[in-house]
Amino acid sequence: FITAPNQMSAIAQPLRSSPSQRSPQSAIEKGIQLYRIGKYNAAIALWQQALSPDLKAKDKAAIHNNLAQAYRQIGQPGAAIEQWQQAISIYRSDTNKNKNTALAAALIEQAQMYSDLGQHRNAIPLLQEAIAIVRRTQDRKLEAAGLGVLGTAYLGLGEYDAVQPGSDGIPNNALEAQSASLQIASQFNELPYASYYVVTALNNRGN
């Protein structure tokens, strides 16, 4: 696992190698090496070249995911969102999509980018979908990440706490989402960002 060194990610999202044996593996791996030393444009060029119509769906999804992370690093959020959308579309075509943590991770990453751009209402349905998936798979770290980004989105909308509780068990306000994220993250000693947003939500609710 690697964490993007310049742009903060909601999760320690790994760059993805090709999951199949018959694929342009060398180009993908070389791109990962370039990414890790900060040569993002060179990595993008390699991964773009590796894309071809005859690639298996999972290989394409892996490349689109990597491209999204690289575009985020060079400050092209629109291109990053588009690449995550390509990966998400592929993951959603999977018959096992309701338990696909790769889909959930891509949804969270795309949602965070929307939220970073101030497009919080675009982020929220993506996060609700992701949280539903990771609750089925019981991926607690990914759930904490999704809840944290969800809380940030609600915070950006000024929705600090709820007039009425959500009907699907997923928080519908900043305080509830960040508190749930903090509760899970405390099990893994990963508190700084969740605790900051809980305090922020509490302060704003009191204003």
Side-chain angles (χ1 to χ4, degrees):
F1 288 76
I2 68 168
T3 303
N6 297 327
Q7 298 292 328
M8 186 181 296
S9 171
I11 50 181
Q13 174 77 329
L15 294 179
R16 298 185 182 275
S17 297
S18 168
S20 69
Q21 297 299 316
R22 299 175 65 183
S23 65
Q25 184 69 28
S26 61
I28 296 173
E29 294 295 340
K30 178 62 175 176
I32 290 173
Q33 293 171 16
L34 290 167
Y35 180 100
R36 285 174 170 160
I37 61 175
K39 295 185 176 181
Y40 306 118
N41 286 303
I44 288 169
L46 268 179
W47 289 329
Q48 290 284 16
Q49 290 173 12
L51 284 172
S52 64
D54 59 340
L55 278 181
K56 290 187 176 181
K58 289 184 179 180
D59 294 335
K60 288 182 181 179
I63 294 172
H64 286 303
N65 177 78
N66 293 353
L67 283 166
Q69 295 191 59
Y71 278 120
R72 175 175 56 196
Q73 293 292 359
I74 64 173
Q76 294 189 24
I81 286 171
E82 174 58 30
Q83 291 298 326
W84 271 310
Q85 189 58 49
Q86 294 288 338
I88 287 166
S89 295
I90 294 169
Y91 291 138
R92 280 179 173 155
S93 68
D94 188 344
T95 56
N96 200 31
K97 65 181 180 181
N98 289 333
K99 293 185 178 180
N100 190 333
T101 54
L103 169 58
L107 288 165
I108 293 169
E109 291 280 22
Q110 188 186 50
Q112 185 187 21
M113 184 59 69
Y114 274 126
S115 198
D116 288 347
L117 293 172
Q119 300 177 30
H120 306 297
R121 295 202 184 279
N122 288 337
I124 288 170
L126 301 173
L127 293 162
Q128 291 169 334
E129 181 181 354
I131 291 166
I133 292 170
V134 296
R135 284 181 173 176
R136 284 190 288 269
T137 62
Q138 298 184 345
D139 189 321
R140 299 291 278 167
K141 285 190 176 183
L142 209 50
E143 183 181 356
L147 287 165
V149 180
L150 182 63
T152 304
Y154 280 123
L155 194 64
L157 293 172
E159 297 178 11
Y160 308 122
D161 54 6
V163 176
Q164 295 181 341
S167 60
D168 55 5
I170 296 175
N172 62 353
N173 62 87
L175 182 58
E176 186 181 348
Q178 290 294 351
S179 295
S181 177
L182 178 61
Q183 183 178 15
I184 298 170
S186 66
Q187 302 170 27
F188 306 105
N189 296 318
E190 296 174 3
L191 301 178
Y193 301 111
S195 58
Y196 167 77
Y197 285 118
V198 168
V199 171
T200 302
L202 283 168
N203 288 340
N204 283 317
R205 184 176 69 162
N207 291 335

